Amino acid sequence: MNIILLGPPGAGKGTQAEKVSEKLNIPTISTGAIIRAAIKAGTDMGKSAQSYIERGALVPDEVVIGIIKDRLEEDDCKNGFILDGFPRTIPQAEALDRMGVNIDVVLELFVSDDEIVSRMSGRRVCACGASYHVLYKAPKTADVCDACGASLYTRDDDAAETVLNRLTVYHEQTEPIKGFYESKGLLKIVYGQEKLEDTTKLTLEVLGI
Ligand code: ADP
Ligand code: ZN
């Protein structure tokens, strides 16, 4: 199954993607995680992406389209994949179409702006890609990654002002792709619940898995 996860920053897409990925044994592809890894590694792509991410702006389409094109060609994508954070603009969605990629379902994880702002302050991430929340998804030991034991940190772009920027960007540039996929009959909505497990239950139900 080829799945797109759509939703505002901090809606919990990564967490739900992880569950679906386990259940279907297909990889999650997060453009955000790939870009953050490139910034950390100091590659040319990372260097050019950094200033956009810090402002809460989108990285240019041609950069992320290139990332996705390369990634989808890898062997582990043969039986399906979950896209988390791509496409984020109409040109990105069109580029995916042009690559000949067949999408089975686009799942929108709906969370209100107010809820997002209050959630983001508790988010903690690990360099390995794992993500936690001090209230909703706390690691077993405070500030330590369950998966790899490294110290957790707060993403720079989770600062309150940047979060507001990212929400504006989401409404202006990403939400229009809902119509794009709705007209293809692919869009399904899950309402984010207070408890992660409840959202997961709804997600799996909607995907019929
Ligand atoms: P979140 O879903 O919480 O916003 P992500 O990790 O998906 O976090 O994205 C973080 C940042 O990475 C975005 O604010 C943006 O700057 C950049 N980014 C990720 N995916 C894309 C994309 N498809 N197009 C443009 N920029 C992207
Ligand atoms: Zn880790």
Side-chain angles (χ1 to χ4, degrees):
M1 197 170 347
N2 298 341
I3 303 167
I4 291 175
L5 270 183
L6 198 65
K13 298 188 295 293
T15 306
Q16 298 308 324
E18 204 179 300
K19 304 285 179 200
V20 176
S21 166
E22 273 167 27
K23 188 110 188 174
L24 293 177
N25 199 21
I26 54 177
T28 297
I29 301 167
S30 159
T31 39
I34 294 171
I35 297 166
R36 278 190 294 281
I39 292 176
K40 200 151 182 264
T43 67
D44 287 345
M45 185 269 275
K47 280 179 197 144
S48 66
Q50 190 159 16
S51 66
Y52 296 98
I53 290 222
E54 278 170 356
R55 281 182 281 135
L58 294 183
V59 172
D61 285 336
E62 61 272 21
V63 175
V64 280
I65 289 167
I67 292 173
I68 286 294
K69 203 161 192 272
D70 291 347
R71 184 62 186 88
L72 290 181
E73 274 166 13
E74 283 178 41
D75 265 357
D76 63 339
C77 294
K78 293 266 182 314
N79 297 322
F81 52 79
I82 304 158
L83 292 178
D84 166 9
F86 184 96
R88 252 178 161 94
T89 63
I90 294 272
Q92 290 179 22
E94 288 168 349
L96 196 59
D97 257 4
R98 278 198 304 275
M99 288 175 211
V101 173
N102 185 54
I103 297 298
D104 297 298
V105 55
V106 178
L107 195 110
E108 179 193 357
L109 193 52
F110 181 90
V111 178
S112 73
D113 286 8
D114 285 352
E115 181 74 29
I116 292 292
V117 172
S118 68
R119 277 190 197 185
M120 294 296 256
S121 57
R123 178 150 79 169
R124 299 288 181 274
V125 296
C126 176
C128 79
S131 149
Y132 302 87
H133 191 284
V134 292
L135 296 180
Y136 308 115
K137 195 193 176 198
K140 292 196 184 78
T141 309
D143 292 324
V144 175
C145 179
D146 291 347
C148 76
S151 302
L152 303 179
Y153 60 94
T154 305
R155 272 169 46 179
D156 291 343
D157 65 343
D158 280 351
E161 201 187 283
T162 313
V163 168
L164 292 179
N165 268 341
R166 286 159 68 202
L167 277 172
T168 305
V169 167
Y170 177 73
H171 293 308
E172 287 176 358
Q173 301 192 54
T174 304
E175 275 200 305
I177 73 175
K178 287 201 278 187
F180 181 91
Y181 288 115
E182 194 162 31
S183 68
K184 295 177 191 280
L186 296 177
L187 188 70
K188 297 192 173 169
I189 303 184
V190 162
Y191 290 90
Q193 306 294 305
E194 200 168 323
K195 287 207 187 111
L196 277 177
E197 307 87 78
D198 294 339
T199 308
T200 302
K201 206 184 278 172
L202 292 176
T203 300
L204 299 180
E205 248 170 54
V206 161
L207 293 175
I209 57 176

